[in-house]
Amino acid sequence: MALDTFFSTIRAFDTLSEEAELALRDKLIIEEYPKNHILIKEGKVCHHLYFLVKGCLRGYYLNDGKEITNWFAFENAFVTSFYSFFSKKPANESISLLEDCVIATLRHEDLQNLYRQFHEIEHLGRLITENYYLILEERFFSRQFKTSKELYDHLLTVSPHILQRVPLGYVAAYLGITQETLSRIRGKL
Amino acid sequence: MALDTFFSTIRAFDTLSEEAELALRDKLIIEEYPKNHILIKEGKVCHHLYFLVKGCLRGYYLNDGKEITNWFAFENAFVTSFYSFFSKKPANESISLLEDCVIATLRHEDLQNLYRQFHEIEHLGRLITENYYLILEERFFSRQFKTSKELYDHLLTVSPHILQRVPLGYVAAYLGITQETLSRIRGKL
DNA sequence: CGACATATTGAGATCCATCAACCAATGTGG
DNA sequence: CCACATTGGTTGATGGATCTCAATATGTCG
């Protein structure tokens, strides 16, 4: 079943009681969306937390009218505009699908109720949030201290298949450089 | 009392029951340290969460043998090597005091016990973690899309007094540029 | 095939790091 | 109270990385 990967992902953080797991499972909705579907639109409040079961997608900002891809996600990642989801304010970023995707959806309100009802789910939520904080911190750090070439090489070792699934321009933006620069970095090998 | 500012800070996130607040208060230790004291040393595991009651301090990395200040904190901020504190691995960064400081200290183990014992404290911990995530995300975003001058101007509106307390070089590193560049940006007004 | 997205390459401009000199304020020990 | 070191800040010259603009492949899909 599609939700198996969801539960094995969160089990890496902590195990839930059967009761809590059932309650959580009950609130998750599996949906399929086609490539290029807009999951979150900038300016709108995002009321859902998504878990990407299959496919990949990108988050991007509008800067001077141009889309700047800021991150992407692959299988088994939590996805949302964390800013909007946490703060209930309109999102600054949009999310659009790079492939056909299978996504598990959890309403903000349902999650809050689960947090309230199950201490262990709130515990899990805290651990996952901490983990995402560390990932972001690591990325911030890398941007500051590594050269573009190092960032690119590291990305390739972590996700060797990424260029088969994501256009070069998006990867470049993720690394904080332009597509032309990344193309040149790749050329010089 | 020194802990009043701590509790009014966390009350901005959520209120605790009297029982939970007392249990938390019981585990907090107020300490004073002199300027230049090293609160966290790179390479060591950080077992404490700190709350800065009075004073200011900076976190820095070593890069090519040089200290690069990555952030600083003022009154009413939570401070630690989040990486080390969350993951229990040796810290990548050090923290040193820019002024004499009054600091509330909470042991990692005590915090975990409080989390276990009080759902409401775990709830609070989740909210605060989410909040710190958003602050980091905002900072990451600003770095990507704003010019150094914009970053500097924004910093001045948020913390107009900062240059009275923090040497220019540290501020520059925080903004991701060198001291010389920041000096030039300031000159051209 | 034609249209549109994706990738490469080139040339000039720009921002900023680096290296180095210099200056002002402060502090310290003789 | 002076000589000197230390810290914090400014200024100048140079080079490197990368952005921008533009032209030109290379794909890919209806």
Side-chain angles (χ1 to χ4, degrees):
Chain A
M1 187 191 174
L3 282 179
D4 288 350
T5 84
F6 173 84
F7 283 102
S8 62
T9 298
I10 65 172
R11 252 176 239 124
F13 291 95
D14 205 359
T15 52
L16 292 180
S17 68
E18 201 173 326
E19 190 193 355
E21 190 165 316
L22 283 175
L24 177 53
R25 189 180 289 263
D26 187 50
K27 296 302 181 187
L28 284 166
I29 299 169
I30 292 278
E31 291 171 320
E32 303 198 13
Y33 296 103
K35 180 173 175 171
N36 293 325
H37 173 77
I38 306 281
L39 197 60
I40 294 179
K41 181 71 183 164
E42 181 220 349
K44 295 194 177 173
V45 175
C46 176
H47 297 286
H48 297 86
L49 177 65
Y50 301 101
F51 179 82
L52 184 51
V53 175
K54 178 97 195 62
C56 76
L57 48 74
R58 70 191 180 102
Y60 57 93
Y61 288 89
L62 284 181
N63 194 250
D64 291 337
K66 272 186 296 188
E67 292 181 1
I68 311 278
T69 296
N70 191 38
W71 53 269
F72 18 70
F74 297 96
E75 280 78 10
N76 303 325
F78 285 97
V79 169
T80 187
S81 163
F82 288 105
Y83 170 73
S84 179
F85 188 74
F86 289 159
S87 75
K88 299 280 89 195
K89 294 180 197 155
N92 300 312
E93 60 187 338
S94 303
I95 296 179
S96 116
L97 307 197
L98 292 167
E99 301 174 353
D100 296 344
C101 288
V102 178
I103 296 175
T105 299
L106 181 58
R107 288 172 48 86
H108 183 274
E109 192 189 329
D110 289 334
L111 179 60
Q112 301 313 313
N113 286 333
L114 288 167
Y115 278 160
R116 219 168 288 131
Q117 203 177 344
F118 295 97
H119 184 170
E120 54 184 319
I121 292 183
E122 182 125 42
H123 175 73
L124 190 68
R126 177 179 62 80
L127 292 180
I128 292 175
T129 307
E130 287 181 359
N131 187 251
Y132 272 70
Y133 182 93
L134 294 188
I135 291 171
L136 183 58
E137 196 178 70
E138 161 68 17
R139 193 171 164 215
F140 187 88
F141 175 83
S142 297
R143 275 283 184 88
Q144 172 120 355
F145 293 118
K146 295 194 176 163
T147 65
S148 298
K149 169 124 184 44
E150 286 171 335
L151 290 177
Y152 176 68
D153 289 343
H154 180 255
L155 182 65
L156 277 195
T157 62
V158 174
S159 316
H161 46 283
I162 197 168
L163 285 170
Q164 278 79 65
R165 300 178 70 179
V166 180
L168 194 71
Y170 295 156
V171 174
Y174 173 77
L175 298 175
I177 59 181
T178 61
Q179 174 171 337
E180 293 93 325
T181 299
L182 181 53
S183 179
R184 280 182 251 265
I185 288 173
R186 297 207 306 161
K188 256 171 255 152
L189 281 184
Chain B
M1 183 191 178
L3 282 178
D4 289 350
T5 84
F6 173 84
F7 283 102
S8 61
T9 298
I10 65 172
R11 251 177 239 126
F13 292 95
D14 205 0
T15 52
L16 292 179
S17 67
E18 202 172 323
E19 189 192 357
E21 190 166 316
L22 282 176
L24 176 54
R25 189 180 289 262
D26 187 50
K27 297 300 181 188
L28 285 166
I29 299 167
I30 292 278
E31 291 171 319
E32 303 197 14
Y33 296 104
K35 180 174 175 170
N36 293 324
H37 173 76
I38 306 281
L39 196 61
I40 294 179
K41 180 71 183 164
E42 181 218 350
K44 295 193 177 174
V45 176
C46 176
H47 297 286
H48 296 87
L49 176 65
Y50 301 101
F51 179 83
L52 185 50
V53 175
K54 179 95 194 65
C56 74
L57 47 76
R58 69 190 180 102
Y60 56 94
Y61 289 89
L62 284 181
N63 194 248
D64 291 336
K66 271 186 295 187
E67 291 180 1
I68 311 279
T69 295
N70 191 38
W71 53 270
F72 16 71
F74 297 96
E75 280 78 10
N76 303 325
F78 285 97
V79 168
T80 187
S81 163
F82 288 106
Y83 170 73
S84 179
F85 187 75
F86 289 160
S87 75
K88 299 279 89 198
K89 295 181 196 154
N92 300 312
E93 59 187 338
S94 302
I95 297 179
S96 119
L97 306 197
L98 292 167
E99 300 174 354
D100 296 345
C101 288
V102 178
I103 296 176
T105 297
L106 181 58
R107 287 172 49 85
H108 182 274
E109 193 190 327
D110 288 335
L111 179 58
Q112 301 312 312
N113 286 333
L114 288 167
Y115 278 160
R116 220 168 287 133
Q117 204 177 344
F118 296 96
H119 184 170
E120 54 184 316
I121 291 183
E122 183 124 42
H123 175 73
L124 191 66
R126 177 179 64 80
L127 292 180
I128 292 175
T129 307
E130 287 181 358
N131 187 252
Y132 272 70
Y133 181 92
L134 294 188
I135 291 170
L136 184 58
E137 196 179 70
E138 162 69 18
R139 192 170 165 217
F140 187 89
F141 175 83
S142 297
R143 275 284 184 88
Q144 172 119 353
F145 294 118
K146 296 194 175 165
T147 65
S148 298
K149 170 127 183 42
E150 285 171 335
L151 290 177
Y152 176 68
D153 289 343
H154 180 255
L155 182 66
L156 277 196
T157 62
V158 173
S159 316
H161 47 283
I162 197 168
L163 285 171
Q164 277 80 65
R165 301 178 71 180
V166 180
L168 195 69
Y170 295 155
V171 175
Y174 173 77
L175 297 176
I177 58 181
T178 62
Q179 174 170 339
E180 293 92 325
T181 299
L182 181 53
S183 179
R184 280 182 250 267
I185 287 172
R186 297 207 306 161
K188 255 170 255 149
L189 281 186

